[in-house]
Amino acid sequence: MASNKDRILEAAMDLFHDHGFQGTGLEDILSSSGVCKSNFYYHFKSKEELGLKVIERKIQEMRQAVLEPSLGNADLSPKQRVLGLFERMLSFCEEHACRKGCFFGNLALELSDSSEELRKPLSRFFSEMEAEVESCLQDGRKRGELSLQGLTPVELATPIVSLLQGGMLLTKAHKDSRAMRDSIKVLTICMG
């Protein structure tokens, strides 16, 4: 059986993804988790502290479920690793009827100007993803597998993460996975 702290974190994670951080009230979290207010404050000083813990947990889940099996999978070619990232995110979008979008992208859009404390771990996560993409591109270039259309891995890493985030955003906005599918086509061309 999950601890009260875990129940709060799980409920908040789902609610923040579906309704945003600011669109989720403490009462929503308490009702969804089945935990009383005094127990919430036993574990978390504030909703913002909870937000930080949710982001930390979601980053760990993302590393395990998406980044390690794709970008971190040394059994795949560098091109397959980067494509694998996009394909995993496309599968996520389609499994959720193209309605959820990226947890991190959603929060970054919502919170970057209103909470510096919550913006920082989101920024670090995107920087980490960019670094992992860059590492795959460098590996592919060294092996002679990727041309990168004359660009360097560092020049292409951030645009690739931007392409992923933009594809997910448009998939959510249109409720259609075409934007992610088109992003994968563009990615294939960009990597060469």
Side-chain angles (χ1 to χ4, degrees):
M1 184 170 166
S3 70
N4 285 340
K5 184 175 184 178
D6 284 336
R7 288 172 36 207
I8 293 167
L9 285 165
E10 289 296 323
M13 209 177 317
D14 290 340
L15 291 166
F16 293 167
H17 202 160
D18 289 343
H19 305 291
F21 181 81
Q22 295 169 337
T24 301
L26 181 57
E27 291 302 321
D28 300 320
I29 296 166
L30 298 176
S31 175
S32 181
S33 67
V35 173
C36 66
K37 190 181 280 192
S38 62
N39 201 282
F40 174 88
Y41 285 110
Y42 175 78
H43 295 290
F44 305 99
K45 292 179 182 138
S46 65
K47 183 179 163 193
E48 194 162 71
E49 181 184 340
L50 170 64
L52 284 171
K53 297 297 182 191
V54 165
I55 291 169
E56 288 171 12
R57 182 174 280 197
K58 197 70 173 172
I59 287 171
Q60 288 302 323
E61 286 182 5
M62 181 72 163
R63 281 184 185 128
Q64 292 171 351
V66 177
L67 298 181
E68 290 170 9
S70 60
L71 298 175
N73 187 345
D75 292 334
L76 300 175
S77 73
K79 187 173 189 173
Q80 289 172 323
R81 285 185 258 163
V82 178
L83 285 170
L85 170 65
F86 277 68
E87 289 162 357
R88 283 177 176 275
M89 296 311 292
L90 171 63
S91 292
F92 172 83
C93 289
E94 290 178 338
E95 286 168 15
H96 293 92
C98 301
R99 67 171 199 79
K100 283 193 171 255
C102 175
F103 177 86
F104 305 102
N106 293 350
L107 286 184
L109 285 171
E110 177 188 2
L111 299 172
S112 289
D113 291 332
S114 62
S115 173
E116 188 66 8
E117 190 174 0
L118 296 175
R119 181 198 66 78
K120 286 179 181 179
L122 295 168
S123 177
R124 282 191 301 271
F125 173 72
F126 286 122
S127 294
E128 174 187 327
M129 189 184 300
E130 291 164 14
E132 289 187 41
V133 167
E134 181 183 343
S135 177
C136 286
L137 298 177
Q138 286 174 344
D139 188 25
R141 199 166 196 193
K142 284 178 192 169
R143 294 181 188 192
E145 294 175 5
L146 301 177
S147 71
L148 308 183
Q149 303 303 324
L151 296 169
T152 66
V154 72
E155 291 171 324
L156 201 50
T158 298
I160 286 175
V161 173
S162 298
L163 183 64
L164 175 66
Q165 285 299 305
M168 292 195 70
L169 176 77
L170 292 176
T171 291
K172 180 179 178 178
H174 298 311
K175 303 288 188 250
D176 184 310
S177 63
R178 193 186 92 212
M180 276 300 292
R181 293 181 181 285
D182 289 346
S183 293
I184 291 170
K185 290 176 189 173
V186 170
L187 175 66
T188 303
I189 293 167
C190 289
M191 287 194 296

